[in-house]
Amino acid sequence: MISSLTRAVALLSFSLATAMASAQPEAQGQRRPMIISPTVDGMLLCDEAAKNTAITNIDAAYAYCGQRKLDGAAAITRLLNTLEPGGAKGAVQVGYTATLQLLGLFQKTSKGWAIDKERVDTFLRVISKVDRPVVLYFSADHFDSIGPLAEELRGDPVNLMQLRDGKPLELGYFGYRIIPYTLSPDPTIPVNRYRFEALDYLAQRIKALPQKVQRRIVAYTLAGELHHMFPDFENGMGAYQDIQVTDYSPSSVAAFRQWLRVRYQTVDQFNTAHGFAFASFDAIPAPSRDMRKEKLSSFAEHYDAFAAGTLPIAGWLWDPDNRIQSLDLYVDGQLVGAIPRGLNRLDVYRAENTITDPNTGYRYDLDFSSLTPGRHLAQVVAVSQGVRHQVAQVEFVIVPRDQGRVRSTKPAQLSGLKDAKQLPGVRSWLDMPRPLQDLYYNPIARDWNKYRESQVYGFLQAFHDRALKAGLPKSQLFSHQIVPDVNSSWNPILFAAGTTLEGSAPWQHGLNMYGGATNSTWLRSFMERHKITDYGAPEFNPQQWKRDGVHLAALQSRLDAGARFISPYYFSVIPDRFKGGVEHGVNRMEIRPDNTKDGSDKFFHAIIEFAKR
């Protein structure tokens, strides 16, 4: 460990007392400060353009600033001084998150695409001038979609994930175009070549910054939310009927077959495990067809939301007086296990005025692959004061591969249950499955989903490895990942991101948290099971307004759980006249004292209060 004196000599701009103070927590084994690092929109917008009423749109304002080598450092500093007057100090400190879209750095030149070094200069000038902790977010996912290079890349199929018909998805998110870039880590693919070139260049420029500036960098979050894509990205996260997934590009399907070779060694072993008779791995299809509606060449082609052998039993349960001590799943009258509850259902919170906590969701993913064909009954049973009450029940039907007749015998059930509606204050709803949902288990669909998860993990690993090779510090490299399972109504199969959340991953974990996930018993349990300890929250917003104290409690929960940083999403230093009058789901979350939507004003004041610690 570097001594205080050595630090003072090496960093002449720091006083000896400051260096000793910074070293003291390490020496005493104390935890480092938690950094509140809000995402700030408009960090390249200079005061001169913001105040010039002759400038009427944001693009012109950015051009004005760029031409004069001006930036938004002064505006950012004012904002952060409002949140924590007097600079970053104490157990909780205010910094900011600086976002840089890697593909957006390129400009067309006579020699081809090249990094706009002046744009990077401006970005790094802000980092150098704002004397606050900073999280650098290197965005390279589907949201890195603005600019001439992105427009060119989207025209070449090799850069994109594909649906089964060979077409890429055309997607938007609240009016913002997104592009489903490939998850292949192949560095020769054009989009990857530019992604990696920008990452390498930024790493070299950052390492050349003065040490006092580098020391302010708390973390690097890598790539953005990496996952597979699906139609209607904005609204389709909970789709279970007629789903479509990626990636069926020729290279992805070929890699799937290679993945099967590694997993099963021989096609005979594959056939024995799954009950098929393929002559070679090259004959195995990537499953993509719903047998209810389409003709199949083989049952191996069947694919839907349940084909991998999992049936979600899910809904919501509002129990404000904690009358229910446990929630269990019974199938055909037999106990299967405890149902996880307390998952995020922000949709229910929004829809029901009397429900004041979004963590009302419950969900059990039932593995039905070994159940016999025929009718089965799932019962959701609550226990209150030792008495069992039925919350919901639903029948489902397992159909054999040959779609032959199944037993129609009425399934067994747990009897003698009281109705949970009799419990005062308790309300509930079963969302999934629909009554008599028919289920067809295709073991190749299970392989396909695991392979798709390996694709997401593989790209993040390649990006992380590239950052390491470029010389960025391992201890500061964080993922920037979504946790689909925390939302009980979402379909995690669509995302295929689960493997990236394992504690054994080589990166530090960055987990994005919205709604109830910001203070969630379920998420704390998830992190414990997955051995996630030293972590960050690259996007964070409780989105709640019905109860006081919610935002402070969410911030405290992250401090208690050991977060290195949390990034409230989002603040803006852009004047209102540049924003237009359009309201959508994103700008509802702008954190400011006069924005009551989604509790943004409450969050603003909570950050100020929490930063006093």
Side-chain angles (χ1 to χ4, degrees), residues 30-71:
Q30 299 174 3
R31 66 163 288 174
R32 71 193 84 194
M34 184 179 83
I35 307 301
I36 300 177
S37 51
T39 298
V40 181
D41 189 22
M43 64 177 288
L44 302 185
L45 178 64
C46 58
D47 283 350
E48 291 81 356
K51 295 175 182 178
N52 188 340
T53 56
I55 300 175
T56 58
N57 68 77
I58 191 64
D59 291 333
Y62 282 136
Y64 178 98
C65 300
Q67 292 164 4
R68 292 161 178 79
K69 298 188 183 303
L70 301 172
D71 55 64

Side-chain angles (χ1 to χ4, degrees), residues 124-162:
L124 295 180
R125 188 166 60 243
V126 174
I127 304 301
S128 299
K129 290 162 68 173
V130 178
D131 188 13
R132 290 276 185 165
V134 60
V135 173
L136 300 185
Y137 171 21
F138 295 151
S139 173
D141 65 351
H142 43 278
F143 285 109
D144 187 5
S145 59
I146 302 300
L149 175 57
E151 185 64 32
E152 179 175 293
L153 292 171
R154 69 189 288 262
D156 184 350
V158 73
N159 296 313
L160 308 175
M161 291 186 279
Q162 297 177 15

Side-chain angles (χ1 to χ4, degrees), residues 34-37 135 218-219 221 478 510 535-538 563-567:
M34 184 179 83
I35 307 301
I36 300 177
S37 51
V135 173
V218 176
T221 66
F478 285 75
Y535 73 103
R564 201 184 302 186
F565 68 92
I566 62 170
S567 300

Side-chain angles (χ1 to χ4, degrees), residues 498-547:
T499 309
T500 64
L501 306 174
E502 294 293 340
S504 59
W507 47 82
Q508 306 294 330
H509 283 282
L511 309 178
N512 293 342
M513 302 177 190
Y514 287 97
T518 56
N519 186 8
S520 164
T521 299
W522 183 91
L523 187 59
R524 284 189 285 273
S525 175
F526 175 89
M527 293 171 64
E528 183 177 349
R529 292 194 311 273
H530 290 257
K531 297 180 173 58
I532 297 173
T533 51
D534 186 12
Y535 73 103
E539 297 177 28
F540 186 91
N541 195 314
Q543 297 177 272
Q544 297 173 57
W545 61 92
K546 297 179 184 178
R547 293 182 295 146

Side-chain angles (χ1 to χ4, degrees), residues 221-296:
T221 66
L222 301 180
E225 292 181 339
L226 295 174
H227 54 75
H228 275 275
M229 301 302 292
F230 45 89
D232 191 17
F233 177 72
E234 185 175 316
N235 302 299
M237 297 176 179
Y240 273 87
Q241 303 300 325
D242 302 319
I243 67 167
Q244 298 183 65
V245 301
T246 52
D247 178 15
Y248 292 96
S249 64
S251 61
S252 176
V253 172
F256 171 55
R257 289 165 175 156
Q258 179 59 31
W259 183 90
L260 292 174
R261 287 186 182 92
V262 173
R263 184 176 180 85
Y264 294 99
Q265 301 298 309
T266 70
V267 73
D268 288 339
Q269 291 188 56
F270 172 87
N271 288 331
T272 298
H274 292 341
F276 290 106
F278 290 103
S280 69
F281 283 109
D282 290 335
I284 299 172
S288 65
R289 297 180 180 275
D290 188 338
M291 66 185 304
R292 300 175 188 83
K293 302 176 180 180
E294 301 171 279
K295 184 177 180 180
L296 308 185

Side-chain angles (χ1 to χ4, degrees), residues 29 71 105 150 171 248-249 312 330 344 397 449 473 478 499 525 558 585 597 609:
D71 55 64
L105 292 177
L171 298 172
Y248 292 96
S249 64
Y330 288 78
N344 187 39
V397 180
N449 287 343
F478 285 75
T499 309
S525 175
R558 294 302 111 212
K597 301 178 184 69
E609 182 64 28

